[in-house]
């Protein structure tokens, strides 16, 4: 799970936004979209094979679907999830003629560091730089970008720092760019409670516990973040296999410790982190989305609407949709990608 937005957004975590509040607060009226039937029986499409490519400090494992000459779409997953969150949506987009690329984030699946000496760094700027490095390695000058959880923050940063590389964006739960300074400020007790796992990970007991119980931990997060998503064991195990990556625990622990200022990042990202700490606006066409049953910490749409200066729309996806929106409502997610391409 993810989402450490700036302090002004983080204080919106108590409760889900009502439709009436969202409609009154946003510059554009939110679109209420009924979700397609949720993936819960382990059915639907899957990725037949993965490819590997050296990109920046990584050898990235990724799935690709659709025609090689189609408009590129990059889809970024979050934690504790993997590329299978996009299997159904990627197939829909491929059928529409898009070239869909779904990479495993560092510390997940078949993605590996090229050097044993490279810091196992999970800070936000590093993950976004991975996305740009992947585009460079694949020879992609510009792409549609979309994601949820860690992946939403990743595409936010790509769009803010490299807008010329991003044609348009779909971001689940909105604007998630954060900073260590903003995250240092305490929240009300109920909001802090939602971040229980972040404080757990701040301890060595938490590191050891996550390493010893990775799959059980992930299953609990899935249940809390998507309380109405009745996924089956096959669906969960398909993604849980990606957590066997040798760098997974290090990346997850560093990600959350970095947010709280308990772990240092790499100096090569300092300039970008300084820009991100200022809360940069995003100018490319954007659709933000939220499920009506998201049990994870997430900002109120009214808190981030002003961050999007280009064509913009918000969509509330109804029908008991939780945090893993692309997998729970693949048709709605894919349609948002198709629609933002036309904005």
């Amino acid at each position: 799970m993810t989402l450490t937005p700036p302090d002004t957004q983080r204080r919106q975590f108590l409760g889900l936004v009502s439709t009436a509040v969202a409609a009154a607060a946003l510059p554009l009226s939110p679109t209420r979209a009924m979700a397609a039937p949720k993936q819960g029986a382990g059915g639907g499409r899957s990725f037949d094979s993965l490819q590997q490519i050296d990109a920046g400090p990584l050898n990235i494992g990724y799935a690709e679907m659709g025609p090689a000459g189609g408009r590129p779409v990059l889809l970024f997953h979050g934690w504790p999830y993997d590329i299978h969150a996009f299997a159904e949506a990627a197939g829909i987009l491929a059928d529409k003629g898009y070239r869909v690329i779904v990479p495993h984030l560092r510390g997940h699946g078949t993605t590996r560091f090229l050097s044993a000496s490279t810091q196992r760094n999970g800070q936000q700027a590093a993950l976004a730089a991975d996305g740009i490095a992947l585009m460079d390695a694949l020879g992609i000058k510009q792409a549609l970008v979309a994601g949820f959880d860690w992946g939403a923050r990743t595409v936010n940063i790509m769009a803010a720092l490299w807008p010329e590389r991003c044609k348009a964006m779909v971001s689940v739960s909105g604007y998630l760019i954060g900073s260590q300074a903003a995250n240092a400020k305490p929240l009300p007790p109920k909001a802090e409670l939602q971040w229980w796992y972040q404080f757990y990970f701040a301890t060595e007991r938490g590191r050891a516990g996550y390493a010893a119980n990775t799959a059980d931990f992930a299953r609990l997060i899935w249940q809390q973040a998507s309380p109405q998503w009745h996924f089956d064991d096959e669906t969960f195990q398909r993604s849980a296999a990606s957590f066997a990556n040798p760098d997974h625990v290090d990346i997850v622990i560093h990600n959350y410790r970095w947010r709280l200022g308990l772990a240092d990042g790499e100096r090569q990202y300092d300039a970008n982190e300084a820009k991100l700490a200022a809360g940069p606006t995003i100018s490319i066409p954007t659709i933000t989305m939220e499920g009506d049953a998201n049990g994870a910490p997430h900002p109120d749409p009214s808190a981030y609407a002003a961050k999007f200066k280009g064509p913009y729309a918000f969509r509330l996806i109804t029908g008991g949709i939780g945090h893993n929106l692309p997998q729970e409502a693949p048709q709605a997610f894919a349609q948002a990608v198709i629609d933002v391409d036309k904005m």
Side-chain angles (χ1 to χ4, degrees):
M1 202 163 22
T2 187
L3 313 182
T4 310
D7 188 60
T8 55
Q9 299 168 25
R10 295 173 73 234
R11 296 186 183 278
Q12 304 295 326
F13 286 158
L14 300 179
L16 290 170
V17 61
S18 70
T19 303
V21 171
L26 293 173
L28 297 177
S29 296
T31 300
R32 294 178 58 84
M34 288 301 295
K38 291 186 285 185
Q39 292 293 102
R45 303 192 190 212
S46 61
F47 298 115
D48 295 331
S49 62
L50 296 183
Q51 302 183 52
Q52 300 288 141
I53 192 168
D54 289 349
L58 302 171
N59 178 260
I60 295 179
Y62 67 97
E64 182 169 347
M65 300 179 74
R71 188 188 304 281
V73 178
L74 271 65
L75 305 178
F76 295 90
H77 67 82
W79 173 87
Y81 307 95
D82 81 331
I83 62 173
H84 292 96
F86 297 110
E88 187 72 16
I92 295 169
L93 292 169
D95 288 345
K96 294 293 185 179
Y98 290 96
R99 178 189 179 191
V100 187
I101 296 160
V102 191
H104 276 296
L105 299 185
R106 53 174 60 192
H108 294 73
T110 60
T111 292
R112 298 290 187 273
F113 284 88
L114 295 173
S115 173
S117 64
T118 301
Q119 179 179 341
R120 272 35 180 180
N121 178 4
Q123 75 182 103
Q124 60 178 1
L127 271 67
D130 293 344
I132 296 298
L134 177 60
M135 292 178 65
D136 290 343
L138 292 173
I140 297 173
K141 294 183 178 180
Q142 189 181 63
L144 297 161
V145 294
F148 75 107
D149 197 84
W150 290 16
R153 178 180 294 107
T154 295
V155 299
N156 287 177
I157 295 171
M158 291 171 67
L161 298 183
W162 298 280
E164 73 281 359
R165 305 298 299 273
C166 305
K167 182 181 185 296
M169 176 177 69
V170 172
S171 179
V172 177
S173 295
Y175 184 94
L176 303 178
I177 297 173
S179 72
Q180 290 179 322
N183 297 336
K185 299 176 182 178
L187 298 171
K190 288 184 178 179
E192 296 282 24
L193 179 62
Q194 292 185 296
W195 289 101
W196 66 271
Y197 56 91
Q198 181 168 253
F199 299 111
Y200 182 64
F201 289 161
T203 69
E204 286 306 301
R205 177 188 177 96
R207 174 192 283 274
Y210 186 60
N213 304 288
T214 308
D216 287 343
F217 200 102
R219 187 187 293 272
L220 175 62
I221 297 296
W222 279 35
Q223 292 167 344
Q224 290 186 334
S226 298
Q228 297 186 43
W229 182 33
H230 303 297
F231 58 88
D232 62 14
D233 191 60
E234 179 184 355
T235 299
F236 175 75
Q237 293 298 337
R238 189 181 297 122
S239 290
S242 295
F243 310 148
N245 184 293
D247 302 306
H248 179 76
V249 173
D250 285 343
I251 293 297
V252 172
I253 297 300
H254 184 269
N255 178 283
Y256 287 102
R257 290 185 180 182
W258 180 89
R259 299 188 199 194
L260 294 178
L262 302 176
D264 201 8
E266 293 178 87
R267 299 285 71 78
Q268 62 180 306
Y269 301 115
D270 283 355
N272 283 342
E273 290 293 357
K275 295 176 183 177
L276 298 174
T281 58
I282 293 174
S283 60
I284 66 171
T286 297
I287 292 176
T288 63
M289 310 181 72
E290 192 60 80
D292 65 342
N294 185 359
H298 61 280
D300 187 309
S302 65
Y304 58 68
K307 288 295 186 180
F308 300 102
K309 300 302 185 182
Y312 173 66
F314 168 73
R315 294 182 178 181
L316 178 65
I317 310 304
T318 62
I321 303 303
H323 189 59
N324 186 1
L325 191 152
Q327 194 163 6
E328 297 176 62
Q331 183 63 57
F333 181 82
Q335 189 61 53
V337 174
I338 294 167
D339 292 345
V340 82
D341 187 25
K342 302 173 183 177
M343 290 173 63

